[in-house]
Each structure stands twice: as C-alpha cells, then as structure tokens.
Amino acid sequence: MKRIVSGMRPTGRLHLGNYEGALKNWVRLQDEYECYYFVADWHALTSDYADTSLIKENTLAMVTDWLAAGLDPQKCVIFVQSLVPEHAELHIYFSAVTPLGWLERVPTYKEQRENITDKDLANYAFLGYPVLQAADICMYKAHFVPVGLDQVAHVELTREIVRRFNNFYGDVFPEPGALLTETPKLIGTDGRKMSKSYNNTIELSDSPDAIRAKVRQMITDRTRIRRTDPGHPEDCDVCKVHRMFVPADVADRFDEDCRGAGIGCVDRKKALADAMIEYLGPITERLNYYRNHQDEVRDIMLEGSRRAREEAGRIMADVRRAMNISWE
Ligand code: TRP
C-alpha cells in the first residue's frame, strides 16, 4: 500500500468547510492508503510563538473532531508532531541542503510577510516553515500528500529538497506528489468563503438550534423582496449551499418552487438547516461520544504518536547511514 501523510495546524474545533475541504477526503483515503495524519503543533509555533496557551487545548479539540468525522485509529495513524522529535532531526538535515533563495521565493511566505501585520514574522522558523513540512512528509517516505491548492507550492518544494538530498546522499526518499481533490469551496454564513477568521462558520459541533440560527442569518436573493416575488436560486447563497447537501433532483424541485414563488426564502433556509443537521448526524453522534471520553482521545493520540515514532526511528536510521553520521 502506498503511503500518505497530511497534517493540520491545531486550530481547535473544525467547521463544515474543513470537513468538506479536507477531512472527508482523509476519511476516504484511510481505506486505500497507509495514512499518517498529524497535528502540526510545531508549525503553529512558527507564527504564533508569543502565546502558546491554547495549543494543547486546540490539539485535543481538533483530534476529537477528526475522530467524530470518521478517522479510525485502526486504519490510520493519528499523532502529534511534537511527540515525534525525529521530525526536528530531519528538519535539521533538510535545512542544511535547502538554499535560502528557495524559501524566500515561496508564494505563501512572501504573501504572509506582506499581509500579516499583527505578528512579527521576521523569525527564523517562519522562513523555514516549508522545510519542516518537507521533513513531516519525508519522515514516513510518503508518496502522496492530500492538501488544498494553497499547499501545493510546499509539496513542490518538498520534491526539490528530496531531489537535492538524494543527489548528495543516495536514493533515500521517494518524491512525494500532492493529492488534490476537487472540492468546491463552502460558502460561509456571510456569503464569503467559510473560514474561521471570518467568523462565518458552521462548526461540526454546533447544535441543531445553533445551525438553524446561523442559517437564518444567511443572505438570499437580494432582488426578491416580497414573498410573492419570483426568486433567482442562481443568485442565492442559501439555494447554492442547499444543493451541496441534498440530491440534485431535490435541489431542482426547490429551485423551481423558488422561481415560481411557491416557497419563500424562510422555507429554503429551513430546508438547508434540516439538510445540514441530517448530514452531520453521524458526526454529531460520534462527537457526543468522544466529548464524553476525552481520555480515550488522548490515548489514541499518544498511541498513534508511539507508532509514528517507531516508523520515524527506522527511517531516521536510514537517513543517518546515508549521510555518514551514524555511529552504529
Ligand atoms: N502547512 C499545512 C497547512 O497549513 C499543515 C502541514 C504541516 C502539512 N505539515 C504538513 C500538510 C505536512 C501536509 C503535510 O495546512
């Protein structure tokens, strides 16, 4: 079986956009590949080093959501980066062979240095972010990395680091490829892309009442002023999102009723909230379980980290041998 590695920074509770964009895919992949999924808590430090108070709490909350989404510790390895210090060792070797110019040219680096003004990103680790990511990926000799479009440049850089490393020391690592999945961006409750920083999310852990309340605030067709006006579902966020959560023929019928003013926006919102609640049903059920069994979540994380560390130790022995710094 081919191997997959992917990680997320510990942002805490996840939302429906995280699920649609990444997690759902992770769950699917665990049946087809040998998967290593981890919390990139060291990556959080590269920019959020000044306040570390939430990292552990967010890690536990995020892994709880992973398990609720359907990641199965019998099928994949779930671990925490900082519990596998071999990543730091490989990061050092990779940092030796990575030219500075490669890092300075990474689009995410340039963009964030320009746009993020509320924290000081003139630190060493922030520039090295993609080198640490390359170490995460190669630590398990991954073949594929499921990521969003924004991370493709980092996987590409990983390939370049691998080529340079293998050139110097022999063929140690396979060149990993990004595994892109076409996922339409989920629209948030304010019409922009669903994102924690916009405060427009539906959380996986939202109660049915919370979901109904959030969906009620969503914007519909602005030109439809009275209930008797014909609607334009193609210009309506609620209609578009509803379509993502129900079968196409159901959405078609709703669209038709909207155009003919047979139903109002309130009805469509109610249908959307119902569809989301139903869609989240199995996730909510597992979430309730893991919320009440946080010790179990912790144990899964620790046991996964132990397994990851075993594999990382084996691969690190290869690396040291190849680099002639092994004393064994
Ligand atoms: N940089 C990734 C993100 O922000 C997180 C990450 C860290 C990652 N290491 C990784 C993703 C290794 C895939 C593989 O989303």
Side-chain angles (χ1 to χ4, degrees), residues 140-156:
Y140 307 94
K141 296 190 176 172
H143 304 96
F144 298 108
V145 190
V147 283
L149 211 50
D150 62 315
Q151 295 293 314
V152 170
H154 290 167
V155 179
E156 191 46 50

Side-chain angles (χ1 to χ4, degrees), residues 17 47 112 114 145 148 171 178 230 240 263 285-286 314 325:
S47 52
Q112 298 196 29
E114 280 162 24
V145 190
D171 272 331
K240 280 190 257 183
I263 56 165
E285 202 173 302
R286 282 188 295 261
R314 276 190 287 272
I325 49 173

